[in-house]
Amino acid sequence: MAKVKKQPRPKAVTPKGFRDYFGAEVIQRKAMLDQISEVYQLYGFEALESSAVETVEALGKFLPDVDRPNEGVFAWQEDDDADWLALRYDLTAPLARVYAQNRNDLPTPYRRYAMGPVWRNEKPGPGRFRQFYQCDADTVGASSVAADAEICAMLADTLEAVGIPRGDYIVRVNNRKVLNGVMEVAGVLDPSDPDKFVTERGVVLRAIDKLDRLGADGVRALLGAGREDDSGDFTKGAGLSDEQAEIVMGFMQAKRDSGAATVARLNELVTGSETGVSGVQELETIAELMAAQGYNSDRIEIDPSVVRGLGYYTGPVYEAELTFEIKDEKGRPRQFGSVAGGGRYDDLVKRFTGQEVPATGGSIGVDRLLAALQAKGRMTKETVGPVIVTVMDRDRMAHYQSIVGELRAAGIRAEVYLGNPKNFGNQLKYADKRNAPLAIIEGSDEAERGVVQVKDLVLGAEIAKTASLEEWKGQPAQSEVKRSELVAVIKKMLG
Amino acid sequence: MAKVKKQPRPKAVTPKGFRDYFGAEVIQRKAMLDQISEVYQLYGFEALESSAVETVEALGKFLPDVDRPNEGVFAWQEDDDADWLALRYDLTAPLARVYAQNRNDLPTPYRRYAMGPVWRNEKPGPGRFRQFYQCDADTVGASSVAADAEICAMLADTLEAVGIPRGDYIVRVNNRKVLNGVMEVAGVLDPSDPDKFVTERGVVLRAIDKLDRLGADGVRALLGAGREDDSGDFTKGAGLSDEQAEIVMGFMQAKRDSGAATVARLNELVTGSETGVSGVQELETIAELMAAQGYNSDRIEIDPSVVRGLGYYTGPVYEAELTFEIKDEKGRPRQFGSVAGGGRYDDLVKRFTGQEVPATGGSIGVDRLLAALQAKGRMTKETVGPVIVTVMDRDRMAHYQSIVGELRAAGIRAEVYLGNPKNFGNQLKYADKRNAPLAIIEGSDEAERGVVQVKDLVLGAEIAKTASLEEWKGQPAQSEVKRSELVAVIKKMLG
């Protein structure tokens, strides 16, 4: 009852970088997440829904954008004594916290999946929002690369389950240890002093991750002195010599026609590095495990150009890429690209517990995958609306309600028009806007004769917007049905 | 690669008042929300998922706890020029913003449902968290009480759909206009000066809403000078005279054996108030509409003690209550109480647009309803885990993987044990912790003979924790199965 004080009207807008999702968008995403979680469950993963809010301390600083370590999250402090709290920016950092917190109660290995929104306090752009869905599956507590292979197989199964046919995707696998071996050989990693060259290696990592976007020349510039982009901005490079850069470039381009040939080439490149050799062995083991289950080169391949941007990966890294072409905003064909990825991160839980806990997992870019399914025509933008019972006679509302009651009892989506019924045209416009397949009309004369009119709105869609009630009633898309047979007839009409 | 600087280990805890949800908790809530959304869709409601973050300006101050108008939300400001942002505290305020923002594109009436977390910056308590789920359905743009009746019917259908049998719930309906009529008669509402006595009416409203908890005497105290609670805290009352309080108490206790008798009593109480008379008429209309669809006094009743705490309701208010008894924490029987409620709020969209837009809707307390289903034994706390393929021989991992591959292809949830396989007991403990129904064992001798051992863990659960591998293998719950028949046998065993 408290009256709101007079003040300027609030603006009805979402905050910048946020958006709402309506009807079919929500339903389709949900259907896709349901399909994904079915696969995850089949693989024995358990659902986890962690709190959306974490302490800033627990979240840590693991955003890919390491150049802005103090930004990237939405954070607040209730009062000066309170912990800083923040919205989670991914589902991996919370998993590390959950596992550390509950490690005595959870099974080990702990396979869990999680799906839900994450928030990033980043500059929004076209198609880039500050709240978006992630869908992750991780195995914590398993050091065997069989766990990595399992996630890769599961990503492949998941893509097929949501409607990406085999041949339209590839899961590419690499290993950070191989990259580290190459860095050793190139002289930017000293196993006896791991902190040395850490900045340089960060630049190298991010440079390789940009191969798709910058091309080989761009990456080479970043490995050396640096690179000026089209806008004139200069990014400082890793400062590698030409010989050093050549070794790294050789790694990036080590992919050969067969997995065996790629492995052979990688073994050449890491000669002398224990870490590198062990990384190549892991890649071979993953390939063997996959092949034993029928995942061959049409679904999984070793690709040394995959490094993933995140700093925390320690072993196998993987990326699921869609290989079919779509048209970009300028109509040029391009490959759809990555929709999922992940890798092994053995140090995240250690932050909390002091003990190393091996972990590996992947994340699906839900919105990108939805966009891909739409591009493939696997998803229509619209869903079929309810059957609309129009209101010809306001006093008979209870009767109209009983019609929809019968329809719903038969499992048919149905509603009575609840706006002002005076203007019948508005009722038809409403039915149109709702994408209703059928409208039911029952005036007093129909009621007396024990019949109703059923209008097929799909057939009648074009004329419905302009026609008067009488014209509309005369359309061939309309038929008279006995009231007692209404439910059966409608069931049949809707197929 | 960037090394995290040495610093004290972060604490692995959820922020105060937040929690995580594991496995069955997530699955069961999801299953319930799926059942609810199915009913909502059947009624023609469309899904909406609005942004979790809103501007503080758009959210407004509509939390029930009007005594702390500046608290209750989690809010932050990025920098001094930026808008204050906040996490939504319910799903109604965002709906008003969404409708105002998209009113030219949305159908009118706009029936939408929404489900998702909301956040309240309130003092946490036992079972009271600062993030919880809501599940709402609202109709915006329909002034007819048929829209209110529809929500009431839908709440009843929803409860039955999730497993609350008819007879175990009641939807109680009242109307704020009737209360306002009573306030007029009692002299605490002057239709010609609606702002007068606004504070007193707020106190009256909240007093009535506490009838369940405080009893009639407590409410009467709050209507008068005030009330001292058990802890000695004094709550100031509305300051009504005994005569005035008597009129309000009469309203609250106006419920009679039949709807018609209650209506007759209410008509007596509001004699002389136009608003009150119109409110009683609306109640009658709702009862008629409901009865026409078969919703009778076993499911819906007029109950003047229902007022709902929120200040913004303007017409019908309703509440779905579970009527069966449960035991409270001290073992005393008590009724389960309210699990859903809502009402008509015609002014919320007006905040943005300046034009009155009628709206009505209800919200289901998801966690309370889940607790109710658990109390009724409709939900088990545990779900069945995956079939576990144990690892007897680390070198044959690819083979074990192919077994689970076959099982999954047949739709059976299955996984290979991915922890350290050395200690077989740990594998069994793991299977137990996962609530696995079956474990599969294939050592080298089994592999040679083309068989596997299948262990029924439900039968063998008790002994599994202590038995050695050899003892365990000898249990009657174990059987030898031809490798080629494994999938068929397991399918049969799992029923």
Side-chain angles (χ1 to χ4, degrees), chain A residues 110-141:
Chain A
Y110 178 47
R111 285 176 172 90
R112 85 89 180 78
Y113 70 89
M115 26 191 69
V118 300
W119 294 265
R120 302 249 171 115
N121 190 0
E122 296 171 332
K123 209 177 151 190
R128 188 182 169 91
F129 295 97
R130 306 210 286 177
Q131 172 180 331
F132 55 93
Y133 264 74
Q134 285 195 338
C135 173
D136 285 24
D138 293 78
T139 302
V140 182

Side-chain angles (χ1 to χ4, degrees), chain B residues 339-351:
Chain B
V339 290
R344 174 165 289 275
Y345 51 98
D346 285 349
D347 297 328
L348 272 195
V349 177
K350 190 181 179 184
R351 287 181 62 230

Side-chain angles (χ1 to χ4, degrees), chain A residues 13 15 30 80-81 88 101 114 173 228 247 265 272 279 344 358 465-466 477:
Chain A
V13 289
K30 186 188 170 303
D80 291 344
D81 299 331
R88 64 182 178 207
Q101 185 173 350
V173 189
E228 191 177 294
I247 295 170
R265 174 68 187 136
R344 175 166 288 276
K465 284 169 193 168
T466 53

Side-chain angles (χ1 to χ4, degrees), chain A residues 75-274:
Chain A
W76 64 89
Q77 190 184 26
E78 279 316 299
D79 55 64
D80 291 344
D81 299 331
D83 286 335
W84 273 88
L85 302 181
L87 290 173
R88 64 182 178 207
Y89 57 79
D90 73 2
L91 300 172
T92 310
L95 169 62
R97 191 266 304 154
V98 168
Y99 185 81
Q101 185 173 350
N102 301 280
R103 61 191 182 281
N104 295 327
D105 299 319
L106 290 173
T108 296
Y110 178 47
R111 285 176 172 90
R112 85 89 180 78
Y113 70 89
M115 26 191 69
V118 300
W119 294 265
R120 302 249 171 115
N121 190 0
E122 296 171 332
K123 209 177 151 190
R128 188 182 169 91
F129 295 97
R130 306 210 286 177
Q131 172 180 331
F132 55 93
Y133 264 74
Q134 285 195 338
C135 173
D136 285 24
D138 293 78
T139 302
V140 182
S143 57
S144 160
V145 292
D148 302 275
E150 182 175 84
I151 303 272
C152 290
M154 195 165 73
L155 285 178
D157 286 9
T158 301
L159 292 178
E160 294 187 21
V162 303
I164 306 286
R166 204 169 297 182
D168 271 353
Y169 71 88
I170 188 88
V171 179
R172 299 150 70 214
V173 189
N174 195 11
N175 196 310
R176 278 286 178 86
K177 289 184 186 171
V178 182
L179 174 60
N180 285 347
V182 169
M183 300 252 216
E184 272 184 46
V185 173
V188 282
L189 175 63
D190 179 352
S192 67
D193 183 4
D195 286 356
K196 207 172 162 189
F197 304 122
V198 72
T199 313
E200 286 81 357
R201 290 199 301 276
V203 178
V204 169
L205 186 68
R206 291 196 294 282
I208 300 178
D209 204 35
K210 288 176 185 156
L211 177 64
D212 270 4
R213 199 149 51 82
L214 305 183
D217 287 348
V219 173
R220 193 183 293 260
L222 284 174
L223 294 178
R227 177 177 176 276
E228 191 177 294
D229 70 15
D230 294 343
S231 72
D233 283 349
F234 185 78
T235 308
K236 197 168 175 296
L240 269 55
S241 71
D242 283 354
E243 287 83 17
Q244 289 179 310
E246 206 49 49
I247 295 170
V248 174
M249 293 300 292
F251 164 74
M252 227 170 64
Q253 296 163 340
K255 184 162 180 286
R256 298 290 177 265
D257 283 346
S258 74
T262 305
V263 162
R265 174 68 187 136
L266 288 174
N267 266 325
E268 286 170 28
L269 285 169
V270 297
T271 305
S273 160
E274 207 178 311

Side-chain angles (χ1 to χ4, degrees), chain A residues 41 44 111 413 415 434, chain B residues 41 44 111 413 415 434:
Chain A
Q41 285 182 47
R111 285 176 172 90
R413 210 178 164 206
E415 57 170 67
R434 289 302 305 280
Chain B
Q41 285 184 45
R111 284 178 174 90
R413 210 177 167 209
E415 57 171 68
R434 290 300 307 279

